[in-house]
Amino acid sequence: MAETSEISGSLVPLSRKEAMILLEAGYLWLDMGQFEKAREVFAGAVVLMPKSEVPQLALGSLEFAQGRHDKALQAYRAAQRLAPNSALPRAHAGEALLFMGKVPEALKELKAAMDLEPEGDGARLAKALLEAKEAGALPPATAKK
C-alpha cells in the first residue's frame, strides 16, 4: 500500500508510484545528457510536490552533473529546509561544498549527515565522500579555495 499512498501536500493527487515514475523519467533524461528536458521534469516535480525534498535533490543532481556546484548547493539547501532531519540533503550539500573547495564547511555537513541517520543512505554517501577526501581524491584539483 505504501507505493500507492498519496504524497501529502502535493498540488494534485499524486501517488508515490506516480511520483517515482516522474522522477525516474527526469533521471533518464539526465543520464542521456538531455539537461533541459530533465530540468522541465524536475521543476514540474518541485511544483507538484512543494513539501517534499526529493525533487529538490533531483534538481541539485542535475546542476551538479553540469558542474554548477553553487546552483546544486542552492537546491540541496532548499531540500534541507524541507527536511531538516534528513541526512541525504546534508550529504549532498557536503559533496557540493567539497567540489567548490569549501572543505571545512563540507566536512561539517558530512559529519552532520552521519550523525543524523547513522545507518541511512545519507550517512553512507557522507562516509564515502569522507573516505575519498582522506584518500586525496577530493576536493578535485580544479576546486577554488
Side-chain angles (χ1 to χ4, degrees):
M1 265 286 169
E3 284 186 25
T4 58
S5 64
E6 285 191 9
I7 303 290
S8 64
S10 62
L11 290 182
V12 296
L14 185 68
S15 73
R16 290 194 179 279
K17 189 172 188 175
E18 290 167 331
M20 286 173 46
I21 291 169
L22 176 66
L23 291 167
E24 285 175 14
Y27 278 109
L28 284 172
W29 286 124
L30 174 60
D31 288 345
M32 294 185 332
Q34 299 290 319
F35 300 126
E36 284 311 308
K37 290 180 181 181
R39 182 178 313 285
E40 288 176 20
V41 172
F42 294 148
V46 166
V47 172
L48 282 173
M49 299 175 277
K51 295 183 180 180
S52 174
E53 77 279 11
V54 177
Q56 290 292 345
L57 290 172
L59 274 176
S61 295
L62 171 65
E63 297 295 352
F64 193 90
Q66 295 176 85
R68 295 186 221 160
H69 303 121
D70 55 335
K71 298 259 186 208
L73 181 60
Q74 289 175 3
Y76 298 146
R77 293 289 191 216
Q80 278 181 282
R81 287 189 294 278
L82 291 167
N85 296 320
S86 176
L88 204 50
R90 302 220 50 173
H92 280 293
E95 181 180 30
L97 289 163
L98 274 176
F99 276 78
M100 293 169 70
K102 298 180 178 183
V103 176
E105 192 177 347
L107 295 177
K108 181 181 170 188
E109 290 292 340
L110 296 174
K111 288 177 183 168
M114 293 188 325
D115 291 342
L116 275 172
E117 296 176 277
E119 301 300 318
D121 291 338
R124 283 190 285 281
L125 174 59
K127 185 178 179 195
L129 289 165
L130 284 172
E131 288 171 359
K133 161 92 178 81
E134 290 169 7
L138 293 175
T142 58
K144 295 177 183 159
K145 300 205 179 196

